[in-house]
Amino acid sequence: MAETSEEVAVLVQRVVKDITNAFRRNPHIDEIGLIPCPEARYNRSPIVLVENKLGVESWCVKFLLPYVHNKLILYRTRKQWLNKDELIDVTRTLLLLNPDFTTAWNMRRWVLQQLLQETSLPSFVTKGNLGTIPAERTQRLIREEMEVCGEAAGRYPSNYNAWSHRIWVLQHLAKLDIKILLDELSSTKHWASMHVSDHSGFHYRQFLLKSLTSQTVKDSSVLEQNPLRSEPAQLLPQDEAAAASTEEPRINIPHLLEKEVEFTTDLIDSYPGHETLWCHRRHVFYLQHHLSGSFPHSMTTLSTADSLVGTSSDLHHIPTGPRTAQAMEVDGLSDSSKQGYSQETKRLKRTPAPHSVGLEMEHRFIDQVLSTCRNVEQARFANAYRKWLGTLGQ
Amino acid sequence: MKLFSLSVLYKGDPKAVLLSAAYDVSSFSFFQRTSVQEFMTFTSQLIVERSAKGNRASVKEQEYLCHVYVRNDSLAGVVIADSEYPSRVAFTLLEKVLDDFSKQVERIHWPVGSSANIHYTALDGYLSTYQNPREADPMSKVQAELDETKIILARKQNSCCAVM
């Protein structure tokens, strides 16, 4: 048995070489797995290849993992060079053996950034009326990363790292492109409905909705600001016509949020007793009524929104706050003679106290759940939700 | 939300006899699958042995939830799922499977349960269909005759599953 550090190094290097050779021999390997095996059998490689599955006997992991991890650190601190292939093998090994390994995700993000920077091609292109959209290559990268995240999320419940990486890709590769956000919202819906306890998965949906919401408000506030400058009013109808003629998806945020509420209602009814679903409902409710301006227009309220979504990590730089507040002020200044009101402003002026209407509906929902549910946890969550609703707007 | 195994057993005295089983261990790492399947076979038998006739229960074992239904005629079914899978649908499935099995396999073969006599191939289909509970059981609401079942925490070696 290898004991000294030299023997360990020799052993591990041989194992890594075995892994690399296995990949070379079989380029279709789609899985690395651990084989529970407490002791090494004399002189046999711990690497086993069956069909397209690579097995690693567990006894060698306690040597392999620290070694590979260390290699990565040395590379990152520029003490030891790894070429692209070695880097790919190392991060892949780490991620497959431990899908929740934070540093490997960081490395992956670093590599992606390098990829984007090193090429002379633009990562975003203008496409006629569509404004800028991600270039073909960037789109492909985005799709691949989404797949990696999806796979990692499936292997480990509430995989925070996988979902954080997914958000990072949206922010830095996709630049929160609206069409991509909408696509992600619809494509993750089925996954979320089959993982009703996966808080990270639902948090991802909250992120998407929040980004779409703040972008819509931002866009409408830009439209609003035009008449306030010295530009003639005739330009505005033209801008609107121009906007209408583009193929840009017109997002109806209230409608999106309504659909999300229906989605959570459906899941809460079908799968009683999952706290994640109730938390999700809170976030969506807050977005709906924050948007319609039912809450006091103060910075403290907005920062409460941020803390509610629990985004204290630097990965989540969602543009809310100042821009949204600005939109509110613009709403206050405009008068009815101006054209080009946003959907949201019209709603605000048309419907009386949307806050109380929304609250009433939620209370009715809670009553319905409590009267029909037979699950103790479900009742507990429903009551907690009622209490939470009572704390709003205070 | 996953189903991992579906088994039909006969609650003999003292041992339970495995009559038919289907497994879906595809979500496990390739090299774990054999041992996971063995664990599920063993656990299903043990749970039936420790459950009383005419009872339903949901037993938590590690990160799995094992739903068991032992009929009064000693025919029993166990479905092993994760904690997201709705228990209501699991019991609907068990009821259905046992009903179907008892129609296709004669009672006389149950106590002995050799594979030569048990010709029942529907379990794989049921397991696959019920992976998506809403597709499989769209109209299911809580059935009046189904008693509220409590979840039993991981049992120790020498304690019996307390089934109500």
Side-chain angles (χ1 to χ4, degrees):
Chain A
M1 248 339 289
E3 287 294 343
T4 70
S5 57
E6 275 157 19
E7 283 172 329
V8 168
V10 165
L11 165 77
V12 173
Q13 277 169 46
R14 234 184 322 165
V15 171
V16 173
K17 193 148 147 260
D18 286 344
I19 292 178
T20 311
N21 287 337
F23 275 104
R24 278 211 198 102
R25 272 204 317 267
N26 184 349
H28 299 297
I29 289 178
D30 54 13
E31 191 184 315
I32 289 185
L34 216 52
I35 303 173
C37 181
E39 271 172 34
R41 267 171 283 185
Y42 183 73
N43 244 355
R44 242 186 45 165
S45 172
I47 306 305
V48 173
L49 190 56
V50 178
E51 294 166 27
N52 290 331
K53 321 288 177 186
L54 186 68
V56 180
E57 287 179 357
S58 61
W59 62 263
C60 79
V61 173
K62 62 178 178 284
F63 304 114
L64 188 64
L65 215 45
Y67 178 88
V68 173
H69 181 199
N70 193 47
K71 237 184 168 185
L72 212 57
I73 302 294
L74 289 174
Y75 173 76
R76 276 299 272 128
T77 55
R78 299 184 199 283
K79 294 200 180 114
Q80 202 179 90
W81 175 253
L82 287 174
N83 65 40
K84 197 181 79 171
D85 289 331
E86 287 169 318
L87 205 51
I88 287 175
D89 280 345
V90 160
T91 52
R92 175 172 41 193
T93 306
L94 276 173
L95 278 175
L96 284 169
L97 283 178
N98 186 355
D100 209 32
F101 194 81
T102 312
T103 309
W105 288 107
N106 286 338
M107 282 300 315
R108 206 176 173 93
R109 284 189 275 274
W110 183 81
V111 168
L112 284 166
Q113 273 177 328
Q114 299 297 92
L115 278 174
L116 281 182
Q117 283 166 22
E118 79 184 10
T119 177
S120 53
L121 291 169
S123 50
F124 268 71
V125 294
T126 49
K127 206 136 185 147
N129 293 331
L130 284 176
T132 57
I133 61 157
E136 186 56 48
R137 188 169 156 275
T138 315
Q139 284 196 31
R140 191 173 32 90
L141 276 176
I142 293 169
R143 266 198 305 273
E144 278 175 22
E145 286 312 289
M146 294 313 184
E147 265 182 52
V148 170
C149 293
E151 268 191 53
R155 284 172 176 244
Y156 186 88
S158 260
N159 190 335
Y160 173 80
N161 284 305
W163 290 103
S164 300
H165 184 73
R166 202 160 178 157
I167 289 176
W168 182 92
V169 169
L170 286 182
Q171 289 169 322
H172 294 90
L173 289 186
K175 311 278 186 215
L176 298 179
D177 175 75
I178 286 183
K179 180 168 186 309
I180 292 181
L181 291 178
L182 288 170
D183 280 344
E184 279 291 290
L185 199 61
S186 64
S187 67
T188 54
K189 191 170 176 177
H190 178 74
W191 194 96
S193 72
M194 295 297 281
H195 296 83
V196 293
S197 253
D198 196 310
H199 192 85
S200 297
F202 279 93
H203 171 261
Y204 183 67
R205 293 185 73 75
Q206 289 149 27
F207 168 81
L208 293 171
L209 289 167
K210 211 170 171 205
S211 304
L212 286 164
T213 304
S214 59
Q215 283 200 55
T216 314
V217 173
K218 180 186 75 184
D219 288 343
S220 61
S221 75
V222 167
L223 277 176
E224 287 284 351
Q225 278 166 19
N226 281 335
L228 292 179
R229 297 203 196 116
S230 53
E231 286 171 40
Q234 291 97 298
L235 269 186
L236 204 54
Q238 267 182 350
D239 285 338
E240 277 199 49
S245 72
T246 67
E247 297 150 47
E248 232 176 73
R250 307 284 283 162
I251 21 170
N252 182 345
I253 290 291
H255 175 73
L256 266 185
L257 293 174
E258 260 310 308
K259 282 245 134 338
E260 194 72 12
V261 173
E262 278 171 33
F263 181 49
T264 47
T265 303
D266 186 30
L267 292 178
I268 287 174
D269 282 340
S270 303
Y271 308 114
H274 291 285
E275 190 164 24
T276 302
L277 298 174
W278 289 94
C279 285
H280 190 59
R281 198 182 180 93
R282 292 187 194 193
H283 287 297
V284 180
F285 180 83
Y286 198 92
L287 272 176
Q288 277 180 312
H289 298 280
H290 174 65
L291 177 71
S292 66
S294 330
F295 299 139
H297 301 172
S298 67
M299 284 304 290
T300 39
T301 312
L302 295 168
S303 55
T304 313
D306 281 315
S307 65
L308 254 187
V309 244
T311 54
S312 53
S313 96
D314 345 324
L315 284 178
H316 306 300
H317 293 302
I318 302 167
T320 57
R323 277 202 203 95
T324 326
Q326 212 173 4
M328 300 295 191
E329 285 168 313
V330 168
D331 289 348
L333 283 171
S334 22
D335 63 74
S336 51
S337 65
K338 304 283 184 192
Q339 298 183 11
Y341 270 141
S342 66
Q343 272 298 103
E344 290 73 36
T345 330
K346 279 189 187 134
R347 239 183 76 142
L348 186 61
K349 293 198 184 303
R350 186 175 58 223
T351 59
H355 186 51
S356 55
V357 170
L359 265 186
E360 200 188 293
M361 279 175 53
E362 286 310 285
H363 282 290
R364 263 189 272 136
F365 172 68
I366 295 171
D367 290 334
Q368 176 245 306
V369 168
L370 285 172
S371 65
T372 56
C373 83
R374 298 163 72 116
N375 182 305
V376 168
E377 300 272 277
Q378 181 87 322
R380 189 161 63 86
F381 298 142
N383 281 313
Y385 183 53
R386 201 202 288 282
K387 268 202 195 138
W388 177 79
L389 287 171
T391 66
L392 295 176
Q394 286 171 10
Chain B
M1 175 163 322
K2 288 194 196 77
L3 294 180
F4 301 112
S5 81
L6 178 58
S7 333
V8 178
L9 305 95
Y10 178 78
K11 184 177 166 64
D13 186 14
K15 290 220 155 273
V17 179
L18 182 66
L19 302 178
S20 185
Y23 303 91
D24 183 350
V25 288
S26 57
S27 59
F28 293 94
S29 140
F30 179 81
F31 296 96
Q32 286 182 307
R33 288 172 195 173
T34 317
S35 51
V36 167
Q37 189 164 312
E38 279 169 12
F39 158 78
M40 290 183 174
T41 307
F42 173 74
T43 302
S44 300
Q45 274 175 278
L46 198 59
I47 284 181
V48 168
E49 280 161 17
R50 295 188 177 178
S51 300
K53 281 197 282 188
N55 269 302
R56 292 175 181 84
S58 297
V59 182
K60 193 153 171 59
E61 179 68 46
Q62 298 174 40
E63 65 269 33
Y64 309 108
L65 213 44
C66 311
H67 308 284
V68 57
Y69 172 33
V70 184
R71 298 195 331 185
N72 284 310
D73 61 2
S74 297
L75 194 63
V78 180
V79 58
I80 300 186
D82 67 2
S83 53
E84 285 181 343
Y85 197 92
S87 57
R88 174 171 35 86
V89 180
F91 286 113
T92 304
L93 170 61
L94 285 175
E95 186 108 29
K96 216 175 190 169
V97 163
L98 295 185
D99 190 46
D100 189 40
F101 184 89
S102 59
K103 289 188 177 120
Q104 293 205 33
V105 180
E106 283 173 33
R107 186 179 298 252
I108 193 155
H109 298 307
W110 299 352
V112 178
S114 74
S115 50
N117 296 323
I118 308 292
H119 300 298
Y120 187 69
T121 52
L123 283 186
D124 281 302
Y126 276 117
L127 189 64
S128 161
T129 309
Y130 273 77
Q131 286 293 0
N132 186 331
R134 292 209 282 187
E135 264 174 34
D137 193 20
M139 297 307 290
S140 164
K141 293 292 170 195
V142 179
Q143 293 157 36
E145 64 264 35
L146 206 64
D147 296 329
E148 182 65 30
T149 51
K150 284 189 220 154
I151 297 193
I152 301 167
L153 295 176
R155 46 182 173 69
K156 305 289 177 195
Q157 273 297 77
N158 39 15
S159 73
C160 191
C161 311
V163 181
M164 65 265 83

